[in-house]
Amino acid sequence: MGIKENCRNELRAAISQLSDRCLYSASKWAAEQLVGIEQDPAKYTPSHTRFQRGSSSIRRRYRTATEVSFTSTPAAGVSHVATPPVLEDDDEVDSDFYLLAKSYFDCREYRRATHVLRDQTDKKAVFLRCYALFLAGEKRKEEEMIELEGPLGKSDVVNHELVSIERELSALRKNGSIDSFGLYLYGLVLKQKGSDNLARTVLVESVNSYPWNWSAWSELQSLCTKAETLNSLNLNNHWMKDFFLANAYQELRMHTESLVKYENLQGTFSFSNYIQAQIAKAQYSLREFEQVEVIFEELLRNDPYRIEDMDMYSNVLYAKECFSALSYLAHRVFLTDKYRPESCCIIGNYYSLKGQHEKSVMYFRRALKLNKNYLSAWTLMGHEYVEMKNTPAAVDAYRRAVDINPCDYRAWYGLGQAYEMMGMPFYALHYFKKSVFLQPSDSRLWIAMAQCFETEQLHMLEEAIKCYKRAANCNDREAIALHQLAKLHAELGRSEEAAFYYKKDLDLMEAEQREGPNLVEALMFLARYSKAQKRFGDAEIYCTRLLDYSGPEKETAKSLLRGLRYDMDVEHLPP
């Protein structure tokens, strides 16, 4: 039996098992990967396959230099000898009580489900009872938070059921009568209580004994905030491990490694929309917007009612100022499901691009009412408050984003911008440093920090030069760094260095066919510098080009040309 057939059989069994345990998000994820597996051409003709489409063409079009063959899964997922068997239902479970409890659970009557299973002792019933109790506590926590602080307020409210659940699951783990789903719930409880080390250990036990529970992998990934922590995990070899590592690399900002992992996984899961979306995320982080746009367009053609990850697509359309495409996307998600955080963020981006910032904030706040921990909504709302010059509100929004995810460089960058607007460059510099530490390959962050060093209060030009150099080496698409390096060196009296950067900036502008004041400034400086260095031919070329422009620079160029001719005549006089 081949690798793909193994994956199919395992996922089919896992979907039933996960759905039976009420882990619906993990079941949905598994079902998406099942459909994403490339069909065996010997068994499936094109007319019977669901995905005879162009996602594979995207893969062919955007291969990277580090890409390896797609004919097999990565080394970590090749061995299926040690694949644990799918857990079977316990024979001891009283199916009548369990079915009643599950029906209550599906209707969100969690305490009724808990009560029905109070005397059941088998693993399946214990898990559902504890999970229902956990969700009942979460539901009450949300209600108390809204009663005390409102839907967007900070609160110290906790889930009061955690202590009793932890006590029970800890005892079951010690005597060995807990299954992988119980371990998953135990890890979730420990994480909420702040016992991160033990939670990691327990979740590793859970995924090693039952690797198809994506919810357990997701919780484990959220506890791996450093590469060292990730590498220290004692995980069994399984193809699910590759999904986990690819996702963890993305969260740790190891975008190239994540991209390679996902492209390898495409060898088996050729038609997985999930993998396509994750590749788009990695390329978005690498600022490859053209490729991201193509992938999301393909995703929408194949899955027109998809809302997950579409807020990232809206960010790309916003950055490219594609009004019509963003309007169409906002209209589509509004008709599909307007009460999803992603939908609200897309509509918020649309209004922001139109300049209607108050309306944009309204939709971001709506997204946060639906999910107060929706990170991008806090960050985007902070951006809108910056546009509205409401810096206290912007600072609050960015701080909430940082509280949710301290590794979100955009929120730290936003805080720096807000404090810079308030004329507090020392505070701004602190936050800019945090942002570049988290995302050192983003030229915009280095430029922001350099501009902060240039402010009148700091006036640390040497530090600004270092930052601009880093920005220039990080693919500065806005072409700011080279021009600023030239200006700063000229201000410090370093004519040779200034000429070097003006010449590089001039070459770049010519290659990109850009006009503007920066081009005129570069020509003017290089004309004067070449004249001073007695490179009269170069000076004449620069001055002649300046004659094409109107304004004072044209008259200056004429004056320089007259001086050049005089100097050239003097130089050719006999001694």
Side-chain angles (χ1 to χ4, degrees), residues 241-257:
K241 178 183 174 182
D242 296 306
F243 277 102
F244 165 72
L245 289 175
N247 190 47
Y249 287 152
Q250 201 164 82
E251 293 300 317
L252 291 171
R253 301 170 304 283
M254 299 164 66
H255 303 300
T256 304
E257 292 86 344

Side-chain angles (χ1 to χ4, degrees), residues 284 289 292 296 309-322 326 329 342 345-346 348-350 353 364 374 376-377 379-380 383 410 444:
Y284 176 83
F289 292 155
V292 173
F296 274 119
D309 309 311
M310 286 299 124
D311 52 335
M312 181 178 293
Y313 180 35
S314 77
N315 292 339
V316 173
L317 297 175
Y318 181 94
K320 297 182 70 177
E321 298 186 358
C322 299
L326 185 52
L329 179 64
E342 297 94 332
C345 283
I346 292 167
N349 271 339
Y350 167 70
L353 193 57
F364 291 135
Y374 198 66
S376 61
T379 307
L380 292 170
H383 296 342
R410 295 168 303 172
R444 298 167 301 169

Side-chain angles (χ1 to χ4, degrees), residues 121 231-232 345 378 409 444 501 540 569:
T121 57
N231 295 332
S232 68
C345 283
W378 284 113
Y409 75 93
R444 298 167 301 169
Y501 286 111
E540 189 173 7
D569 291 341

Side-chain angles (χ1 to χ4, degrees), residues 11 29 211-214 217 238-245:
L11 283 168
W29 184 91
W212 301 281
N213 183 3
W214 182 245
W217 288 108
H238 191 270
W239 51 266
M240 283 292 288
K241 178 183 174 182
D242 296 306
F243 277 102
F244 165 72
L245 289 175

